């Protein structure tokens, strides 16, 4: 049976190099990302020049600027670095289908049975390093039989040194030798175990099949992925290399340092299983179109987006998804990018319905001196289930008519949303309340379906409703034939009612402090049909009010 082969890809400068790809001038200066935790700011990822200046990850920003006056910093955005790692995840899928991400800066690939397709393990690692170098990324690879060994080989070598010294190692030495103790900084001669540091770009280490034990033995105990306090405890008693642990009685190690040390050691040498849980790279629907010469006419831009829309809809259809939010980008020759967002009323994969909405956004893209690249991305997608019409011809025709009618409403919502903003388009849904003004709720039209379950009322409700307005009429429960409202005199022609509605006693509503209401459907001689009520009084006085009008 073939040995299991695991490859660990570590990108020690991922955060800094992501910024360098966006701002190429940062490659020529010491640069680092800044991580903010509460009121503290520390360095995250560093480029090669910053590391050469003696800076290190976790160093306070103030100390780093004092040590390196030319240091340039950028904020560390975790979600953007995760998106960049996801892009590398998709790239690594061409080497093996079993790829797992190890946030924030590593990938793990199960290469069992795949290396011969690329000319062997050494050639495969060299190809990965070369492609990463072309992308402007620093990578260190480790290949072994186990995940733990591959992780260790990618991050540690026998020549790793520690820049600071463990004080406990000095305190345990004889007073006569303390003068010489400061010179012995190497971790094998009394110093602390080395921390993970970025080595030279393209550093690859391959352990032969079945040689994980020999490859791990000269490495520091930090290569076993142990907690910091456990590493310090092991170094304090002189166990500085993985090989030192292999020579010790297992019972003594477990009793003094915990079972975790043995578990990590067994996983690294293959005595205990450590499965890899590969995750499929998130689907991403993005296209770009570059031009040999800059363009600036709206028709040219529309034609470019039209071609990309056709290809994107084909990809969405194959994956069974529909675009809900589309981002349009116009990259100009002066290195300025303008973008617009198109929000669709429903998940769509039909270019004939999407392109009219894109055309509404094109005039808002500023061409400036010219556009040399267009980019389109479906930033939010939803699953779209295929529908098959079944039944006799009349039923099929009726179903298609309902479907096409729904599309018309969705297209209308999309066009209005493109001009006014999708959040401005709303619709009403029924709500569970007997209070007239609370019988419905407002929901976004783009993220809801048309309501079809409106309750059937025993009494009609007005088409227009407004806050209660006072009516000048005698303060008695029976409406008089004449009353005055909005500065005009009204005469009743017909009256139907009353309908008693009581307030919700479990809720405090200032509008209902006038007590129970008797609603009347009033027809006037002017032809108007009003909805009046008499408030019987509570915390506020009684009286007549107009609450709405029927159509």
């Amino acid at each position: 049976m073939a040995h299991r082969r695991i490859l660990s890809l570590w990108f020690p400068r991922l955060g800094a190099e992501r910024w360098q790809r966006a701002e190429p001038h940062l490659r020529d200066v010491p640069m680092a990302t800044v991580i903010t935790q509460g009121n503290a700011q520390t360095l995250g990822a560093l480029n090669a020049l910053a590391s050469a200046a003696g800076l290190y990850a976790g160093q306070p920003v103030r100390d780093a600027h004092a040590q390196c006056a030319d240091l340039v910093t950028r904020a560390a955005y975790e979600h953007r670095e995760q998106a960049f790692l996801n892009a590398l995840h998709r790239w690594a899928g061409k080497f093996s289908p079993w790829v797992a991400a190890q946030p924030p800066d590593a990938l793990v690939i199960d290469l069992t049975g795949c290396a011969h397709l690329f000319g062997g393990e050494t050639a495969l690692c060299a190809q990965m390093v070369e492609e990463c170098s072309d992308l402007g990324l620093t990578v260190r690879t480790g290949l072994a039989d186990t995940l733990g060994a591959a992780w260790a080989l990618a991050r540690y070598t026998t020549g790793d040194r520690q820049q600071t010294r463990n004080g406990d190692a000095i305190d345990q030495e004889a007073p006569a030798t303390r003068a010489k103790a400061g010179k012995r900084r190497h971790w094998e001669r009394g110093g602390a175990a080395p921390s993970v540091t970025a080595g030279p770009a393209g550093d690859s280490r391959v352990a032969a099949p079945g040689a994980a034990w020999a490859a791990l033995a000269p490495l520091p105990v930090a290569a076993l992925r142990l907690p910091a306090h456990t590493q310090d405890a092991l170094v304090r008693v002189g166990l500085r290399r993985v090989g030192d642990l292999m020579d010790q009685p297992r019972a003594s190690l477990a009793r003094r340092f915990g079972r975790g040390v043995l578990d990590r050691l067994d996983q690294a040498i293959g005595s205990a299983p450590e499965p890899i849980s590969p995750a499929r790279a998130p689907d991403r629907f993005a296209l770009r179109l570059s031009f040999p010469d800059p363009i600036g006419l709206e028709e040219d831009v529309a034609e470019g987006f039209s071609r990309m829309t056709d290809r994107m809809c084909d990809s969405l259809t194959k994956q069974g998804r529909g675009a809900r939010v589309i981002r349009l980008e116009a990259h100009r020759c002066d290195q300025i990018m303008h973008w617009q967002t198109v929000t669709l009323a429903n998940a769509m994969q039909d270019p004939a319905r999407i392109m009219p909405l894109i055309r509404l956004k094109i005039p808002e893209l500023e061409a400036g001196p010219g556009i040399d690249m267009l980019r389109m991305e479906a930033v939010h997608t939803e699953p779209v289930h295929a529908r098959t019409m079944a039944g006799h011809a009349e039923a099929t025709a009726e179903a298609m008519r309902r479907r096409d009618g729904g599309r018309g409403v969705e297209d209308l919502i999309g066009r209005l949303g493109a001009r006014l903003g999708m959040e401005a388009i709303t619709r009403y849904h029924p709500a569970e309340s007997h209070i007239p003004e609370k019988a419905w709720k407002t929901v976004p039209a783009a993220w809801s379906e048309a309501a079809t379950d409106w309750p059937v009322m025993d009494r009609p409700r007005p088409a227009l409703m407004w806050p209660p307005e006072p009516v000048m009429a005698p303060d008695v429960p029976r409406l008089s034939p004449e009353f005055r409202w909005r500065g005009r005199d009204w005469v009743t022609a017909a009256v139907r009612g009353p309908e008693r509605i009581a307030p919700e006693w479990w809720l405090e509503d200032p509008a209902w402090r006038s007590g129970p209401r008797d609603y009347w459907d009033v027809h006037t001689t002017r032809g108007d049909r009003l909805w009046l009520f008499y408030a019987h009084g509570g915390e506020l006085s009684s009286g007549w009010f107009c609450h709405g009008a029927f159509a």
Side-chain angles (χ1 to χ4, degrees), residues 13 40 55 94 124 142 205 216 225 252 273 293 297-298 386 494:
R13 310 185 191 278
L55 306 182
K94 68 180 182 179
L124 186 148
R205 302 192 65 197
L216 289 172
R225 299 171 291 170
S252 300
D293 295 313
L297 298 179
E298 289 188 13

Side-chain angles (χ1 to χ4, degrees), residues 207-429:
W213 183 300
L216 289 172
L219 301 183
V221 292
L224 293 179
R225 299 171 291 170
L226 298 174
H229 64 87
T230 304
Q231 298 178 30
D232 294 339
L234 290 170
V235 171
R236 194 174 296 117
V237 299
L239 301 176
R240 300 180 179 87
R241 298 182 303 168
V242 177
D244 297 337
L245 297 180
M246 298 177 181
D247 298 334
Q248 300 300 318
R250 295 173 59 87
S252 300
L253 289 176
R255 183 168 55 252
R256 183 163 185 176
F257 303 105
R259 180 67 190 178
V261 175
L262 297 181
D263 291 341
R264 285 301 190 185
L265 183 61
D266 291 342
Q267 289 175 349
I269 63 178
S271 298
E274 186 176 8
I276 295 178
S277 300
R280 180 182 177 184
D283 292 328
R284 189 173 186 180
F285 304 94
L287 296 167
R288 67 178 180 179
L289 183 62
S290 300
F291 306 101
D293 295 313
I295 64 173
L297 298 179
E298 289 188 13
E299 291 301 324
D300 295 340
V301 176
E303 178 62 24
F305 280 127
S306 177
R307 296 185 182 184
M308 289 190 289
T309 301
D310 294 338
R311 294 176 56 190
M312 178 180 291
C313 289
D314 291 340
S315 300
L316 290 169
T317 302
K318 293 178 181 178
Q319 298 294 332
R321 305 191 68 84
R324 195 63 186 270
V325 179
I326 298 177
R327 178 185 173 95
L328 308 176
E329 298 179 2
H331 296 259
R332 304 187 337 189
C333 347
D334 55 357
Q335 305 301 319
I336 296 178
M337 186 269 288
H338 286 269
W339 60 275
Q340 291 291 330
T341 300
V342 179
T343 304
L344 307 178
N346 202 357
M348 298 183 186
Q349 50 185 210
D350 184 2
R353 301 175 62 192
I354 296 176
M355 197 57 208
L357 304 180
I358 294 179
R359 289 182 179 274
L360 297 176
K361 292 291 186 178
I362 291 178
E364 302 179 21
L365 296 173
E366 298 182 9
I371 299 173
D372 54 11
M373 187 184 76
L374 295 176
R375 185 175 182 273
M376 174 187 293
E377 179 181 1
V379 296
H380 181 60
T381 62
E382 295 179 358
V384 176
H385 303 288
R387 299 179 180 178
T388 302
M389 301 301 179
H392 52 81
E394 291 79 3
T396 302
E398 178 65 19
M400 296 183 66
R401 184 188 64 79
R402 291 197 304 269
R403 182 195 63 181
D404 296 338
R407 286 183 176 179
V409 174
E410 294 169 1
D411 293 343
L412 174 62
I413 294 174
R415 287 178 174 272
L416 294 176
R419 294 182 178 274
L420 307 177
M422 196 60 70
E423 66 280 355
I425 314 301
T426 59
R427 57 162 52 108
Y428 292 128
H429 273 207

Side-chain angles (χ1 to χ4, degrees), residues 61-259:
V61 175
R62 296 178 59 182
D63 296 347
H65 280 293
Q67 182 177 348
C68 180
D70 298 333
L71 178 65
V72 178
T73 60
R74 292 290 186 270
Y77 297 111
E78 182 179 353
H79 65 286
R80 294 184 181 178
E81 294 178 7
Q82 180 62 45
F84 191 27
L85 188 63
N86 290 340
L88 294 174
H89 189 168
R90 293 190 297 273
W91 162 78
K94 68 180 182 179
F95 298 102
S96 172
W98 291 74
V99 183
Q102 286 187 327
D105 55 7
L107 296 174
V108 177
I109 307 176
D110 190 340
L111 290 178
T112 306
C114 299
H116 69 280
L117 301 175
F118 301 89
E121 296 175 347
T122 303
L124 186 148
C125 292
Q127 179 179 345
M128 286 187 171
V129 170
E130 181 180 359
E131 293 187 9
C132 288
S133 178
D134 294 340
L135 295 174
L137 300 178
T138 301
V139 64
R140 292 181 65 177
T141 64
L143 182 59
D145 295 338
T146 64
L147 174 58
W151 187 94
L153 293 175
R155 289 161 176 80
Y156 294 93
T157 64
T158 56
D160 284 332
R161 294 180 179 269
Q162 177 72 10
Q163 298 299 326
T164 59
R165 180 161 171 75
N166 190 332
D168 290 338
I170 298 178
D171 294 338
Q172 293 174 2
E173 295 177 349
T177 60
R178 289 186 180 181
K180 301 179 180 179
K183 302 178 181 179
R184 301 204 309 264
R185 292 184 174 274
H186 196 275
W187 58 272
E188 290 183 336
R189 300 194 301 270
S195 58
V196 179
T197 57
D203 187 7
S204 302
R205 302 192 65 197
V206 179
W213 183 300
L216 289 172
L219 301 183
V221 292
L224 293 179
R225 299 171 291 170
L226 298 174
H229 64 87
T230 304
Q231 298 178 30
D232 294 339
L234 290 170
V235 171
R236 194 174 296 117
V237 299
L239 301 176
R240 300 180 179 87
R241 298 182 303 168
V242 177
D244 297 337
L245 297 180
M246 298 177 181
D247 298 334
Q248 300 300 318
R250 295 173 59 87
S252 300
L253 289 176
R255 183 168 55 252
R256 183 163 185 176
F257 303 105
R259 180 67 190 178

